[in-house]
């Protein structure tokens, strides 16, 4: 951080492209509901960016689910069988 005050420059820069909301496939939600403690399943994704977006969306969903029940889950980014994605564990 500089000690001098830098001038504020107003520019005409277009907004970045907006991404569509990350939709959760219904079979993922159904699988989460069926998980028993110590069970898990893998969700493949397209690339690192897709992995991060899908995990963030799923963390939000799991947070809302936790408020309604005592089920707890954790997500771990992984590569399995040459495919990138993450694994969902029920605790």
């Amino acid at each position: 951080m500089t000690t001098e005050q830098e001038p504020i420059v107003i520019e005409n820069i277009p907004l970045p492209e907006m991404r569509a909301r990350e939709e959760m496939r219904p079979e993922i939600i159904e699988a989460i509901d069926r998980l028993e403690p110590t069970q898990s399943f893998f969700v493949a994704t397209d690339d690192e960016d897709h992995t991060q977006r899908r995990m963030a969306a799923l963390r939000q969903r799991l947070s809302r689910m936790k408020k309604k029940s005592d089920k707890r889950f954790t997500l771990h980014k992984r590569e399995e069988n040459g495919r990138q994605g993450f694994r969902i564990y029920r605790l």
Side-chain angles (χ1 to χ4, degrees), residues 10-28:
I10 298 174
E11 302 173 297
N12 288 324
I13 298 179
L15 284 169
E17 258 185 60
M18 299 302 287
R19 285 203 169 118
R21 189 172 144 236
E22 186 67 36
E23 293 293 328
M24 221 26 71
R25 294 186 348 236
E27 48 282 6
I28 292 175

Side-chain angles (χ1 to χ4, degrees), residues 2-81:
T2 63
T3 56
E4 296 179 27
Q5 294 290 330
E6 294 182 20
I8 295 175
V9 179
I10 298 174
E11 302 173 297
N12 288 324
I13 298 179
L15 284 169
E17 258 185 60
M18 299 302 287
R19 285 203 169 118
R21 189 172 144 236
E22 186 67 36
E23 293 293 328
M24 221 26 71
R25 294 186 348 236
E27 48 282 6
I28 292 175
I29 303 306
E30 292 167 7
I32 288 171
D33 285 337
R34 292 192 319 265
L35 278 179
E36 295 296 325
T38 73
Q39 290 183 326
S40 67
F41 66 92
F42 181 74
V43 177
T45 55
D46 299 331
D47 55 30
E48 177 66 25
D49 186 50
H50 187 223
T51 301
Q52 294 300 328
R53 288 192 332 263
R54 172 87 28 114
M55 287 178 69
L58 196 51
R59 280 191 178 106
Q60 283 294 321
R61 174 69 65 104
L62 294 174
S63 175
R64 289 189 302 269
M65 288 173 71
K66 185 179 175 185
K67 291 177 183 178
K68 295 179 182 178
S69 72
D70 62 345
K71 295 180 180 179
R72 293 183 50 216
F73 302 90
T74 187
L75 307 175
H76 291 274
K77 188 167 54 168
R78 301 174 55 93
E79 186 174 312
E80 295 186 11
N81 300 321

